[in-house]
Amino acid sequence: MDILVMGAGALGGYFGGRLAAAGHDVTFVARGAQLEALQQNGLKIQSPSGDLHLPKVKAVSDPKQGAHADIVLFLVKNFDVETAAQTLLPNLKSDSVIVTLQNGVSASRRLGEIVGHDRVVPGIAFIPADVKAPGIVRHNAELQRLLFGQGSKVNAGQINQLATALEDVGVEVMISDNVQIMLWTKFVFLSAISAMTTLTRLDVGPLRKTPETAALLRQAMDETEAVGKVMCPDLPQGTAEAQWQFMLSLPDTVHASMLDDLRRGKPLELNYLSGDVSRIGHEQGVATPLHDFVTAALQPYVNGAPI
């Protein structure tokens, strides 16, 4: 398959690298130091599932420099979705499939409005990975799982091909006929932990140990579940409780990647996390006071460190 990895960070580097090593034609779209490292030194993956070094990879700054894609792994940040979608259009075939793996619940809809909804397949990645240094992806545990939707009648075959290719390189793949349930389940957890760890600049340990902040963390989950039940009626009752129990099992040092972005002075995905909970809540008549507050309080940082 011809595969275009749109956003060659930790996830794009890992999945794209494994697929390239298996003989698939993979083009990485990257920028800055990551692009320079990929072009000069190739891609390295450090992983308990086996290290990998690809001395030469196809890495470009603009998707138009790559081939027409059978599959696009769409991994840009939420705030880049619309811009990236426009640059992607010349690379699409009539049957190209785009798998979205953004945080939150709105990226697939926003992308579909530009490239066509039938092309877009929402997905969720479960993999602890980061960019250790430009061109070096560090996979921190054996977990490597992707869940995505079945796709439309037009592209179901492409999705099955992708699933097979990923399974062949050791990735656990799940194809769901109701991926929205999984998206909202993850969002109940993610929106809450992003809100509270970024707002307080604390890991979950101190938040859980302090009754006042623990109550706010749980409130954030409850608000997202209430919005999710309106948008995804099949979302199981008690999703917030289940995610709360999951959060209680995490190490004290866990925090959201949005906190890392804030500390580094980078733009935040705030408006697609708490911001989407707040926006959808207002549209649907569901009260979301905590997410409203977090969205407003962190707004000065949304484009990076305030000047």
Side-chain angles (χ1 to χ4, degrees):
M1 289 185 296
D2 287 329
I3 299 168
L4 184 72
V5 177
M6 193 75 177
L11 272 63
Y14 185 83
F15 294 123
R18 292 296 187 195
L19 290 167
H24 296 284
D25 192 348
V26 177
T27 300
F28 297 92
V29 181
R31 58 190 177 189
Q34 183 76 343
L35 174 63
E36 183 178 350
L38 291 173
Q39 290 177 333
Q40 293 184 359
N41 305 314
L43 173 66
K44 291 182 180 179
I45 295 174
Q46 299 173 350
S47 168
S49 300
D51 293 345
L52 174 66
H53 181 206
L54 298 172
K56 292 185 178 181
V57 296
K58 296 181 182 178
V60 299
S61 60
D62 189 318
K64 290 193 292 291
Q65 298 170 291
H68 287 76
D70 298 310
I71 299 285
V72 179
L73 297 181
F74 195 75
L75 290 154
V76 302
K77 289 283 192 177
N78 259 299
F79 42 73
D80 286 330
V81 164
E82 285 80 3
T83 301
Q86 292 289 348
T87 65
L88 186 59
L89 286 170
N91 287 78
L92 300 179
K93 302 178 182 179
S94 60
D95 60 349
S96 296
V97 177
I98 308 170
V99 179
T100 60
L101 293 167
Q102 280 69 33
N103 290 327
V105 294
S106 66
S108 59
R109 172 187 56 78
R110 292 157 44 222
L111 176 61
E113 289 171 356
I114 296 172
V115 303
H117 292 289
D118 284 348
R119 297 182 184 276
V120 179
V121 176
I124 308 170
F126 303 91
I127 178 170
D130 63 347
V131 176
K132 181 179 179 181
I136 303 175
V137 172
R138 177 171 53 191
H139 178 210
N140 298 303
E142 292 188 359
L143 175 66
Q144 44 179 319
R145 181 187 307 145
L146 282 176
L147 181 147
F148 39 80
Q150 290 180 318
S152 67
K153 293 180 181 178
V154 175
N155 58 32
Q158 299 273 55
I159 290 298
N160 289 331
Q161 272 190 291
L162 175 62
T164 299
L166 288 164
E167 289 172 341
D168 286 346
V169 297
V171 179
E172 180 185 353
V173 178
M174 300 171 61
I175 300 178
S176 172
D177 60 358
N178 196 340
V179 70
Q180 291 298 321
I181 293 176
M182 293 299 296
L183 283 170
W184 276 98
T185 297
K186 183 178 180 181
F187 195 44
V188 167
F189 169 79
L190 180 64
S191 62
I193 196 171
S194 294
M196 288 302 299
T197 61
T198 308
L199 181 69
T200 63
R201 281 66 161 176
L202 293 172
D203 297 336
V204 296
L207 295 177
R208 292 183 303 209
K209 293 171 185 175
T210 306
E212 292 84 355
T213 51
L216 290 174
L217 188 54
R218 178 55 195 264
Q219 179 184 337
M221 292 184 180
D222 288 338
E223 289 182 6
T224 306
E225 180 187 34
V227 173
K229 287 293 290 181
V230 174
M231 302 303 293
C232 181
D234 293 333
L235 187 68
Q237 194 68 35
T239 294
E241 174 62 22
Q243 294 305 303
W244 175 256
Q245 293 301 322
F246 170 66
M247 187 276 301
L248 292 176
S249 73
L250 296 174
D252 283 349
T253 54
V254 168
H255 58 262
S257 61
M258 192 165 78
L259 174 55
D260 292 328
D261 289 337
L262 182 140
R263 286 170 170 164
R264 294 166 184 163
K266 293 184 176 182
L268 306 184
E269 291 188 299
L270 171 70
N271 291 332
Y272 307 98
L273 298 169
S274 285
D276 265 349
V277 178
S278 178
R279 175 185 61 80
I280 299 170
H282 282 276
E283 292 172 354
Q284 300 298 325
V286 179
T288 58
L290 191 144
H291 285 290
D292 296 349
F293 174 77
V294 170
T295 302
L298 290 175
Q299 204 62 220
Y301 298 88
V302 77
N303 293 317
I307 297 175

